[in-house]
């Protein structure tokens, strides 16, 4: 099989970088092993050019949900370039930090203070530290994905299946101190009985409940019940909106549900591709950050704040949230209709701006891989997640849906002939965490 330049480079990367790169979600094996372009030369709007000069339309996760405004947005770029020209960091602080803090707090009336960092995982870690400091307690009850840090992965100490339905199956907590065992308790979204049982047994030691307010479905009643339990047992409620924030509305998804947490975490979309994350919360909780040590040099760097300000300003001016929701609705409707016409068993979960596609077959990962392969050959990068961007045009969405219909037709024929696996030009995508071994570079 012909190897793309990107794939050649990827094989080399696995020799010198453990795992090949820094983010599991961008490993080619999660999409289309041995075929995925792997590296890009340029990205603009929703278009990506690989190392061989071939261009694709990105109908995947838009860099894991970081670019609601599209790649290399002109207005965000202008703000970032200006910051770099004036000096991206100095002994003094950047004024943009205060301006950005005011803007974030301005769209969350319940919050009084904010701390910044650069990544989502860092922000989650900061929120947990503050909650522990404010409460004087150390245990955490959680639901959903909250990063790679010790406090979270410690859930798998003693039972390596605790995170199977939260993060990925097969997470080994190697490197996490065993002393952190039994400091975290997971629950499934929607299972209020599990939450109450945990709090009833452990509330005297529980500092916080941290959860994503939106998973595959929306359950407002569940969120309200969790809020009531947090108040009953005097536990800090943290909403992790790193993924869901600024997609359903200008702010957090919880604003749509009329459920206010004690703290909330944002990342990904608020910098439109530039590293910036935030923890907001009530004053009596956030001020505990001064009673513990939370500090880092590059959290003061100017570009993130400038990018954040420009991103929020443009989101508001163009009503980007309405656009991504409407694009998501159109994609969901079009894919469902195309699947029905082709007789393909496909289902779409998630809110409109965060779509998750799966194929309801025993060998669903094989079918998913085949779908990705067919779409890539037609000029579209796609996978099991589709996070719409505001820059999609109606014509681009129409073209994507037409290509999907053709792919579904091929899938239906291959399933009928039992040839799906044979028609793959490489291995089946990885469904979970696997160790990537380096291949020999020739």
């Amino acid at each position: 099989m012909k190897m793309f330049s990107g794939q050649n480079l990827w094989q080399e990367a696995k020799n010198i970088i453990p795992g090949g790169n820094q983010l599991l979600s961008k490993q080619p094996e999660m999409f289309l092993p041995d075929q995925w372009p792997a590296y890009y030369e340029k990205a603009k709007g929703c278009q990506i050019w690989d190392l061989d000069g071939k261009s694709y339309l990105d109908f995947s996760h838009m860099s894991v949900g970081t670019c609601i405004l599209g790649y290399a947005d002109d207005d965000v770029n202008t703000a970032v370039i200006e910051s770099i020209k004036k000096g991206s960091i100095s002994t003094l602080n950047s004024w943009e930090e205060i301006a950005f803090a005011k803007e974030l707090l301005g769209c969350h009336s319940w919050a009084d203070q904010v701390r910044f960092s650069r990544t989502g995982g860092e922000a989650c870690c900061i929120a947990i530290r503050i909650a522990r400091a404010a409460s004087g307690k150390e245990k955490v009850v959680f639901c959903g994905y909250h990063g790679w840090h010790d406090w979270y992965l410690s859930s798998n100490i003693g039972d390596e299946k605790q995170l199977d339905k939260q993060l990925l199956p097969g997470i080994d907590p190697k490197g996490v101190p065993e002393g952190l065992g039994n400091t975290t308790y997971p629950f499934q979204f929607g299972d209020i009985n599990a939450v109450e049982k945990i709090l009833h047994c452990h509330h005297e030691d529980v500092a916080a409940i941290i959860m994503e307010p939106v998973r595959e479905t929306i359950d407002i009643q569940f969120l309200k019940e969790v809020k009531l339990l947090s108040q009953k047992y005097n536990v800090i409620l943290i909403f992790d909106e790193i993924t869901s924030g600024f997609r359903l509305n200008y702010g957090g998804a919880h604003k749509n549900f009329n459920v206010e947490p004690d703290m909330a975490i944002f990342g990904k979309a608020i910098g439109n591709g530039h590293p910036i994350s935030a923890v907001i919360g009530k004053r009596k909780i956030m001020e505990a950050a001064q009673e513990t040590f939370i500090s880092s040099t590059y959290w003061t760097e100017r570009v993130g704040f400038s990018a954040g300000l420009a991103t929020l300003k443009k989101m508001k001016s163009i009503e980007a949230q309405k656009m991504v929701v409407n694009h998501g609705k159109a994609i969901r409707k079009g894919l469902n209709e195309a699947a029905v016409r082709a007789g393909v068993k496909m289902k779409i979960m998630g809110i409109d701006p965060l779509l998750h596609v799966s194929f309801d077959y025993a060998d669903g990962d094989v079918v998913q891989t085949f779908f990705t392969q067919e779409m890539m050959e037609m000029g579209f990068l796609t996978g099991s997640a589709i996070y719409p961007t505001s820059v999609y045009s109606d014509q681009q969405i129409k073209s994507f849906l037409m290509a999907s219909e053709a792919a579904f037709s091929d899938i239906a024929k291959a399933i009928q002939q039992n040839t799906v696996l044979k028609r793959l030009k490489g291995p089946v995508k990885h469904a979970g965490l696997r160790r990537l071994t380096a291949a020999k570079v020739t």
Side-chain angles (χ1 to χ4, degrees):
M1 188 187 76
K2 177 184 176 182
M3 294 291 286
F4 300 119
S5 298
Q7 273 296 318
N8 283 328
L9 192 60
W10 177 245
Q11 302 308 320
E12 183 178 356
K14 288 190 286 185
N15 278 318
I16 58 177
I17 300 173
N21 69 349
Q22 316 310 313
L23 182 65
L24 178 65
S25 300
K26 287 189 180 182
Q27 290 179 353
E29 286 78 4
M30 302 299 287
F31 294 89
L32 197 61
D34 294 352
Q35 298 180 72
W36 196 249
Y39 297 92
Y40 75 102
E41 179 65 30
K42 178 183 175 182
K44 181 69 175 176
C46 66
Q47 195 168 7
I48 298 175
W49 288 261
D50 68 14
L51 301 187
D52 296 313
K54 184 171 182 179
S55 67
Y56 305 88
L57 293 182
D58 192 344
F59 275 75
S60 179
H61 51 44
M62 288 298 297
S63 190
V64 202
T66 60
C67 293
I68 282 184
L69 299 177
Y71 299 129
D73 176 79
D74 289 340
D75 295 313
V76 177
N77 278 0
T78 296
V80 167
I81 291 169
E82 187 66 20
S83 289
I84 293 171
K85 286 181 178 179
K86 290 182 177 179
S88 62
I89 199 165
S90 82
T91 296
L92 302 183
N93 297 293
S94 67
W95 64 266
E96 290 91 346
E97 179 177 4
I98 304 303
F100 190 43
K102 288 181 177 179
E103 185 63 33
L104 270 180
L105 295 174
C107 58
H108 297 94
S109 59
W110 59 269
D112 304 301
Q113 294 187 331
V114 55
R115 282 299 300 259
F116 293 111
S117 58
R118 285 296 177 261
T119 70
E122 285 178 325
C124 284
C125 206
I126 291 170
I128 294 301
R129 172 73 71 78
I130 292 174
R132 284 172 166 165
S135 67
K137 298 182 282 187
E138 65 177 34
K139 295 189 177 181
V140 177
V141 181
F142 72 91
C143 172
Y145 170 59
H146 307 292
W148 64 273
H149 292 80
D150 287 359
W151 75 266
Y152 181 56
L153 295 190
S154 66
S155 180
N156 269 14
I157 294 175
D159 184 354
E160 294 185 4
K161 294 184 178 180
Q162 291 274 53
L163 291 172
D164 281 8
K165 294 182 179 180
Q166 308 280 351
L167 175 54
L168 286 171
I171 298 291
D172 191 330
K174 283 185 177 180
V176 179
E178 290 189 5
L180 293 178
N182 297 316
T183 58
T184 54
Y185 302 99
F187 65 91
Q188 296 301 306
F189 191 86
D191 189 351
I192 194 63
N193 291 329
V195 182
E196 180 145 32
K197 182 178 180 180
I198 294 169
L199 292 179
H200 178 74
C201 295
H202 303 285
H203 67 275
E204 291 183 357
D205 301 315
V206 174
I209 300 170
I210 182 170
M211 62 181 295
E212 296 176 272
V214 177
R215 293 287 283 170
E216 287 80 8
T217 59
I218 293 174
D219 190 336
I220 299 175
Q221 184 59 34
F222 175 63
L223 295 180
K224 290 181 176 179
E225 290 173 349
V226 171
K227 171 72 173 180
L228 289 173
L229 286 177
S230 73
Q231 294 173 326
K232 175 182 177 180
Y233 289 104
N234 192 29
V235 171
I236 294 168
L237 178 60
I238 306 170
F239 281 167
D240 179 348
E241 295 245 28
I242 291 168
T243 299
S244 59
F246 289 85
R247 294 188 187 278
L248 287 176
N249 57 45
Y250 185 74
H254 67 270
K255 292 175 62 176
N256 278 19
F257 313 146
N258 196 30
V259 182
E260 293 180 351
D262 299 305
M263 302 172 72
I265 308 166
F266 298 95
K268 292 188 186 293
I270 62 173
N272 202 60
H274 294 277
I276 184 69
S277 58
V279 180
I280 66 173
K282 297 177 179 177
R283 184 179 304 277
K284 64 180 181 179
I285 296 170
M286 294 296 293
E287 286 187 339
Q290 297 188 82
E291 300 168 8
T292 182
F293 187 67
I294 303 173
S295 182
S296 185
T297 298
Y298 275 103
W299 291 349
T300 69
E301 185 266 348
R302 189 180 210 170
V303 168
F305 301 129
S306 298
L309 273 173
T311 297
L312 297 192
K313 179 180 178 181
K314 185 157 187 176
M315 280 183 180
K316 187 184 292 185
S317 67
I318 68 171
E319 296 186 298
Q321 285 67 40
K322 289 184 179 180
M323 298 170 74
V324 295
V325 167
N326 289 336
H327 292 336
K329 287 181 184 295
I331 292 170
R332 185 195 297 271
K333 181 175 183 291
L335 285 178
N336 278 327
E337 290 176 350
V340 169
R341 285 193 293 269
V344 171
K345 292 186 289 185
M346 179 214 69
K347 58 184 178 182
I348 302 178
M349 301 290 288
I351 57 177
D352 291 319
L354 294 169
L355 303 175
H356 293 270
V357 179
S358 63
F359 293 88
D360 196 13
Y361 297 93
D363 55 353
D365 288 333
V366 178
V367 178
Q368 179 74 65
T369 308
F370 185 49
F371 176 64
T372 299
Q373 174 182 286
E374 295 294 286
M375 293 299 290
M376 196 179 81
E377 290 180 354
M378 289 184 279
F380 296 90
L381 297 179
T382 195
S384 58
I386 302 175
Y387 296 172
T389 171
S390 63
V391 298
Y392 283 160
S393 68
D394 291 342
Q395 183 57 50
Q396 286 170 334
I397 293 174
K398 182 179 179 180
S399 297
F400 171 74
L401 294 175
M402 289 176 63
S404 298
E405 182 142 20
F408 288 158
S409 179
D410 287 343
I411 288 171
K413 292 176 184 176
I415 290 173
Q416 186 177 21
Q417 298 167 1
N418 196 28
T419 60
V420 179
L421 187 59
K422 292 180 180 179
R423 294 183 63 175
L424 292 184
K425 299 177 182 179
V428 177
K429 70 179 287 289
H430 291 189
L433 182 66
R434 299 187 194 176
R435 182 178 177 86
L436 291 177
T437 55
K440 183 178 180 181
V441 179
T442 59

